Amino acid sequence: MFTATLDTSVLWPSLQRDFLLSLAVEGAYRPTWSSAILDELEFHEEAKLVKRGIPIAEAASRAATLIAAMRREFADAEVEGWEPLEGTFGLPDPDDEHEVAAAVIAGAGAIVTENLKDFPAGKIPPGIQVLSAREFAKNTVALNPRHALAAVQEIASRSGRYSTALTVEEILDILRDRYGMIEAVEMMVEATSA
């Protein structure tokens, strides 16, 4: 199964995270991350919730619950033993070294990030692509648009927990308009009419 290391930048946006992880639940790929990625995600998730007006204690609890759920639902995703490789790749931002180290240890074929400039091709080990979330979604959905659509249907079925419930169509619109996943959404829409 194809393995991808997911950067904090693609896990932080809630619906995008839900979509990418739901694709993994559908068996489209195996997600991986480091403890450092999860620590960053927890920090930024809490800050996002506080900015939205959630009290600090509740925001911290919800962020911790998210990380615990990710660890529980994707028990084999957290890569261990990446630390000795950190600092060996010469990336422009040394704070991104842990992501490449985790990808190497995980045997990942891709690092999925929105910070493409921080991962220059000449610094990435052979066999690892650096992809944006929209490019990764396009490639992954292309493998099986019906499974991808099932992932969106599952998201719709559980939406509304913390906000307004969303329909499949609304989720597809957000993925297309907010996250730029135009080609992935087109393939899923075609799957609905096939």
Side-chain angles (χ1 to χ4, degrees):
M1 176 178 292
F2 187 79
T3 298
T5 298
L6 305 178
D7 176 22
T8 306
S9 67
V10 300
L11 291 170
W12 181 76
S14 302
L15 184 62
Q16 179 172 276
R17 173 184 60 240
D18 202 356
F19 178 59
L20 293 175
L21 294 180
S22 294
L23 288 173
V25 169
E26 289 295 322
Y29 75 103
R30 176 181 166 248
T32 61
W33 43 68
S34 67
S35 57
I37 290 170
L38 292 182
D39 290 346
E40 287 175 0
L41 178 58
E42 185 171 1
F43 173 82
H44 290 294
E45 184 71 13
E46 180 180 338
K48 173 176 62 177
L49 293 171
V50 168
K51 189 174 179 181
R52 290 180 179 169
I54 306 294
I56 292 172
E58 182 183 345
S61 174
R62 283 171 53 175
T65 298
L66 168 67
I67 300 306
M70 288 174 65
R71 284 186 163 127
R72 182 180 62 251
E73 297 301 320
F74 301 96
D76 69 337
E78 192 168 344
V79 177
E80 296 181 1
W82 54 268
E83 295 86 351
L85 293 178
E86 188 174 21
T88 65
F89 303 103
L91 296 180
D93 183 351
D95 290 341
D96 292 324
E97 291 274 332
H98 66 92
E99 295 169 39
V100 180
V104 168
I105 296 299
I111 296 170
V112 186
T113 182
E114 295 306 327
N115 301 321
L116 299 173
K117 67 178 178 22
D118 292 336
F119 297 89
K123 302 287 185 180
I124 305 301
I128 300 176
Q129 303 173 64
V130 179
L131 303 171
S132 67
R134 77 182 59 79
E135 185 73 17
F136 179 73
K138 179 184 84 170
N139 296 347
T140 305
V141 169
L143 297 173
N144 194 327
R146 287 186 184 279
H147 280 168
L149 185 58
V152 172
Q153 291 165 337
E154 181 57 32
I155 294 168
S157 74
R158 64 177 182 264
S159 74
R161 182 170 170 198
Y162 292 117
S163 60
T164 307
L166 297 171
T167 66
V168 168
E169 292 74 20
E170 289 169 330
I171 292 168
L172 291 174
D173 287 346
I174 293 168
L175 292 173
R176 183 190 62 236
D177 300 338
R178 186 182 303 165
Y179 301 116
M181 296 182 178
I182 297 163
E183 292 127 322
V185 169
E186 286 173 355
M187 287 183 272
M188 288 185 282
V189 168
E190 286 175 20
T192 63
S193 59

